[in-house]
Amino acid sequence: MERPTALDLYRVMRRIRDFEERATVLFGEGKLWGTIHSYAGEEGIAAGVCAHLRDDDWITSTHRGHGHCIAKGADLGRMYAELLGRETGYCRGRGGSMHIADTSKGNLGANGIVGGGIPIATGAALTAKQLGTDQVAVSFFGDGAANQGAFHESANLASIWKLPVIYVCENNQYAESLPVKNAFAIDDISSRAGGYGMPGVRVNGRDVRAVYDAAGELIARARRGEGPAFLVADTYRHEGHYYGDPRKYQSKDEIEGWKTRFDPLVDTRAWITEAKLATAAELDAIDAEVIEEAKRAVAWAEAGPPASPISLPGDVYASY
């Protein structure tokens, strides 16, 4: 991998981690509305996949969607503003953490409904097929959504119609509190792809290089008109299902030890320095730039006006 690509991937991953840590602090200070679901520990997946997408390609995201938004090029200030309930947020402060959308970057939205983004991405891919463009749609979802009917119906249609869509399952080991081993009769979720006649690929989601390589091949294949694919990235979420989750379904060792042993940012730093793509000092400089960028984004967001009372039907219906 070339140095610029490696450093871009690292910067995106660092932005995501910083955003999640900063959002957690803001939530603890009582400044955020609703709740938040941290993407910490899964940064390599969003970064590795979205590095291959253009602004006119589409993604759909999940309730744990901050990382996807950032990797697709979202403005950090507008993201913080949305979480803080400001008019300057992506949804004018009305959607909150789970409903950030940015159609200018092809982000069709995070979605609080498990598996809700899968048919939306499939429909976007149908648009590309009908218009004859080479656009691609990517749907991010968790292991729990892989057991939803919407996934199976969408995968079947996408394969029959050879739609340019990539289904990316982020297997973070838990559907809320249900361990993945109790929800599947198979070890390799990607093997389900065979039932739909599409390629199924399983990668280590903590290794951004593996995600980048696998996603690159599948997205290029979709652009060539060769149809959908199913990518399963095994990973581990560092935090509970939501902020404040008591995590009674996990052991003390898992809660306190796994996020140290399985940290994609630490692994990425080690890979980049060992491959002599950059020095530790250069990576530290990127960290410092990301921190300053985030400080400016939060300050801008907090200076925005609070969300005003909803003016129906203006915020419900769109005019065409």
Side-chain angles (χ1 to χ4, degrees), residues 13-169:
M13 294 173 69
R14 178 55 73 184
R15 274 193 183 122
I16 296 171
R17 178 67 60 87
D18 184 276
F19 186 93
E20 297 296 21
E21 293 176 346
R22 210 170 288 273
T24 298
V25 172
L26 292 168
F27 193 94
E29 293 173 348
K31 294 181 177 178
L32 303 190
W33 295 12
T35 188
I36 54 174
H37 305 79
S38 174
Y39 193 70
E42 305 180 36
E43 296 90 345
I45 305 171
V49 172
C50 290
H52 298 284
L53 299 179
R54 309 183 308 233
D55 283 353
D56 65 343
D57 291 324
W58 301 285
I59 66 165
T60 60
S61 181
T62 71
H63 57 283
R64 202 178 303 283
H66 302 157
H68 309 136
C69 296
I70 292 170
K72 198 62 169 67
D75 178 84
L76 295 182
R78 293 191 66 190
M79 284 186 66
Y80 280 117
E82 186 59 38
L83 269 61
L84 288 162
R86 297 298 202 272
E87 281 285 341
T88 46
Y90 270 112
C91 299
R92 298 178 60 194
R94 291 160 172 77
S97 168
M98 288 189 280
H99 300 96
I100 293 175
D102 180 9
T103 54
S104 70
K105 295 290 184 180
N107 180 357
L108 301 179
N111 200 316
I113 299 172
V114 174
I118 297 173
I120 296 173
T122 306
L126 177 59
T127 299
K129 178 89 173 183
Q130 293 294 94
L131 296 178
T133 71
D134 68 345
Q135 291 164 283
V136 170
V138 171
S139 182
F140 292 99
F141 52 91
D143 42 282
N147 281 334
Q148 291 278 21
F151 167 67
H152 301 288
E153 295 172 38
S154 296
N156 189 52
L157 272 180
S159 193
I160 291 171
W161 293 341
K162 278 198 166 186
L163 302 183
V165 56
I166 312 299
Y167 301 107
V168 179
C169 175

Side-chain angles (χ1 to χ4, degrees), residues 157-310:
L157 272 180
S159 193
I160 291 171
W161 293 341
K162 278 198 166 186
L163 302 183
V165 56
I166 312 299
Y167 301 107
V168 179
C169 175
E170 300 175 318
N171 176 14
N172 66 15
Q173 311 306 315
Y174 291 96
E176 294 195 8
S177 61
L178 180 67
V180 68
K181 63 183 179 183
N182 294 346
F184 291 84
I186 53 175
D187 178 60
D188 182 1
I189 301 173
S190 72
S191 65
R192 287 186 171 178
Y196 302 108
M198 67 175 71
V201 179
R202 182 184 188 182
V203 296
N204 177 359
R206 297 190 301 272
D207 183 347
V208 69
R209 292 169 297 176
V211 176
Y212 179 85
D213 289 344
E217 292 181 12
L218 298 178
I219 290 171
R221 177 179 177 277
R223 284 200 202 284
R224 294 194 299 267
E226 297 176 23
F230 186 29
L231 176 63
V232 177
D234 294 320
T235 183
Y236 177 71
R237 69 178 194 224
H238 282 188
E239 305 298 335
H241 174 60
Y242 59 93
Y243 180 89
D245 182 354
R247 306 177 72 175
K248 293 182 179 179
Y249 50 90
Q250 293 174 300
S251 68
K252 183 177 180 181
D253 172 66
E254 185 176 334
I255 293 172
E256 297 180 358
W258 283 27
K259 66 181 180 183
T260 302
R261 295 199 292 274
F262 305 126
D263 190 330
L265 266 172
V266 172
D267 293 346
T268 301
R269 283 184 68 99
W271 152 56
I272 289 175
T273 53
E274 289 170 7
K276 301 189 184 306
L277 294 169
T279 65
E282 289 174 313
L283 296 180
D284 290 343
I286 290 176
D287 293 353
E289 291 170 6
V290 168
I291 290 171
E292 291 305 312
E293 176 188 30
K295 287 180 178 176
R296 292 193 298 272
V298 171
W300 180 85
E302 291 191 309
S308 62
I310 294 178

